[in-house]
Amino acid sequence: MTQTGVLRDPLSADPDRLFDATVRAVVAEADGVRSFELVRADGGAMPAWTPGAHVDLVLGNGVERQYSLCGDPADLSSWRVAVLREPESRGGSSYLHDTVVAGHAVRLRGPRNEFALEEASRHLFIAGGIGITPLLTMIAELEGRGADWQLVYGGRRRASMAFRGELERYGDRATLWPEDERGLIDLAGLLGEPVEGTAVYCCGPGVLIDAVEAQCAEWPTGALRVERFRPKEGALDGPTTSFEVVLDASGLTMTVGPDESIADVLERAGVDIFTSCREGTCGTCETAVLGGEPDHRDSLLTEDERAANDVMMICCSRSKGPRLVLDL
């Protein structure tokens, strides 16, 4: 409910709105990892966010990427993101590491949270490399509540594992697992037996997430939550036959061809939509489905959410039938 006479910052109400920001500081957090402190260019407060949220960075080279917020949600003077320098960068991490310094201008959109911290009797966090970023704020939140949690954080080398200093304050509740010292994380030991009331959160490389998903196959439905930085192997594969999309609000009907996405067709028709990753990992383009059966090809929705068929990611998912009706 809006209070009479109270002016609300439009940025906090509209996660799809772009706004100008400035990089206030750049910090080397580990070998190959830098954090970027971001502030609004107009000096205002940053939009509010919750643990697990991510934001879109629109960079000066025209590239747009998503990064998890890993600062303090209570401090809206700035946001913090951390970026791993990818050996095979597609233009995001290399630009941030090689070009962006304090004082650099960027544009931001968000926040969005598709990886929210849910209530549970106990939380088990498994991080791989830069996947520690969304989990940092979840851990801080639970620690502040006096909740029961455990973190196992893997990396190739200790020197490549960011935020080690911040994690030291948690003592043995946060276990660092450098591969060159200890081998691979003992997932069988961590997850071999389902534990009633435990929520498992995993973020990191696809190979780690795949292994955790396999270990959690016998756990209760919904016990595991994951966030991927890249599409799941094979997620974007499948038939590419044509189908129709009907926009419920206008009644407009369009054909989606074999070599184009729903988002491509809508943009060409001048329909106002928002997309970012274009591969089904960020949730920006999530759209309500009013009719038809989506062919889900995202790497974000849970199995229950897919089975409900009431939302889809229009940047990558298609239709199992001849027609979809969307709430647009």
Side-chain angles (χ1 to χ4, degrees):
M1 182 180 296
T2 303
Q3 299 177 9
T4 303
V6 175
L7 295 177
R8 296 193 178 276
D9 187 336
L11 292 180
S12 295
D14 185 2
D16 293 321
R17 181 173 176 176
L18 278 168
F19 63 98
D20 295 319
T22 303
V23 177
R24 185 161 69 183
V26 180
V27 178
E29 302 288 355
D31 290 352
V33 179
R34 291 184 179 182
S35 68
F36 298 82
E37 186 180 2
L38 308 165
V39 296
R40 271 174 61 169
D42 62 9
M46 302 296 275
W49 59 284
T50 54
H54 71 266
V55 296
D56 301 340
L57 267 68
V58 182
L59 306 173
N61 60 350
V63 170
E64 184 170 331
R65 294 288 183 266
Q66 297 76 45
Y67 297 103
S68 297
L69 289 169
C70 57
D72 180 0
D75 180 9
L76 298 183
S77 66
S78 65
W79 283 349
R80 183 178 70 168
V81 299
V83 181
L84 169 69
R85 185 185 183 95
E86 297 280 2
E88 299 178 2
S89 173
R90 296 170 295 166
S93 70
S94 61
Y95 182 84
L96 283 161
H97 276 253
D98 296 339
T99 305
V100 175
V101 296
H104 203 97
V106 296
R107 304 199 79 196
L108 302 175
R109 182 191 292 115
R112 290 184 184 80
N113 199 339
E114 305 288 344
F115 193 46
L117 180 63
E118 298 180 358
E119 294 295 330
S121 300
R122 173 177 174 265
H123 290 80
L124 171 61
F125 300 100
I126 302 173
I130 199 64
I132 188 62
T133 51
L135 306 184
L136 276 178
T137 53
M138 295 185 187
I139 288 166
E141 170 75 17
L142 293 173
E143 182 71 6
R145 297 183 200 169
D148 184 4
W149 65 270
Q150 178 188 2
L151 166 71
V152 178
Y153 173 23
R156 292 184 177 178
R157 298 176 294 110
R158 190 175 296 270
S160 70
M161 300 171 69
F163 306 112
R164 299 190 307 278
E166 294 184 24
L167 293 170
E168 286 176 357
R169 59 177 171 158
Y170 300 125
D172 59 7
R173 302 184 82 176
T175 300
L176 269 60
W177 200 295
E179 185 177 343
D180 64 344
E181 298 175 21
R182 306 186 62 176
L184 297 176
I185 295 174
D186 179 15
L187 296 180
L190 286 171
L191 302 167
E193 293 292 333
V195 180
E196 185 70 27
T198 296
V200 181
Y201 280 72
C202 180
C203 186
V207 64
L208 172 65
I209 295 176
D210 291 344
V212 170
E213 287 181 334
Q215 287 288 341
C216 287
E218 302 302 319
W219 282 60
T221 301
L224 174 63
R225 297 296 304 272
V226 306
E227 183 169 67
R228 293 178 180 270
F229 298 132
R230 297 285 177 86
K232 188 174 183 177
E233 186 71 25
L236 301 175
D237 298 341
T240 56
T241 54
S242 297
F243 58 94
E244 287 186 342
V245 170
V246 180
L247 308 189
D248 183 67
S250 64
L252 185 64
T253 299
M254 291 170 287
T255 299
V256 179
D259 299 320
E260 56 190 355
S261 68
I262 298 173
D264 292 336
V265 172
L266 296 182
E267 288 175 337
R268 191 167 62 243
V271 180
D272 190 17
I273 61 170
F274 295 96
T275 65
S276 184
C277 71
R278 294 284 181 161
E279 54 189 15
T281 59
C282 75
T284 303
C285 68
E286 182 176 312
T287 302
V289 179
L290 303 179
E293 184 179 2
D295 179 4
H296 296 289
R297 301 188 184 185
D298 64 275
S299 299
L300 188 63
L301 295 175
T302 65
E303 290 305 314
D304 286 346
E305 289 169 336
R306 290 183 173 214
N309 280 329
D310 53 5
V311 297
M312 68 183 298
M313 305 305 161
I314 60 174
C315 71
C316 63
S317 295
R318 303 184 69 80
S319 178
K320 290 186 176 180
R323 169 181 282 203
L324 285 173
V325 182
L326 302 181
D327 187 17
L328 289 172

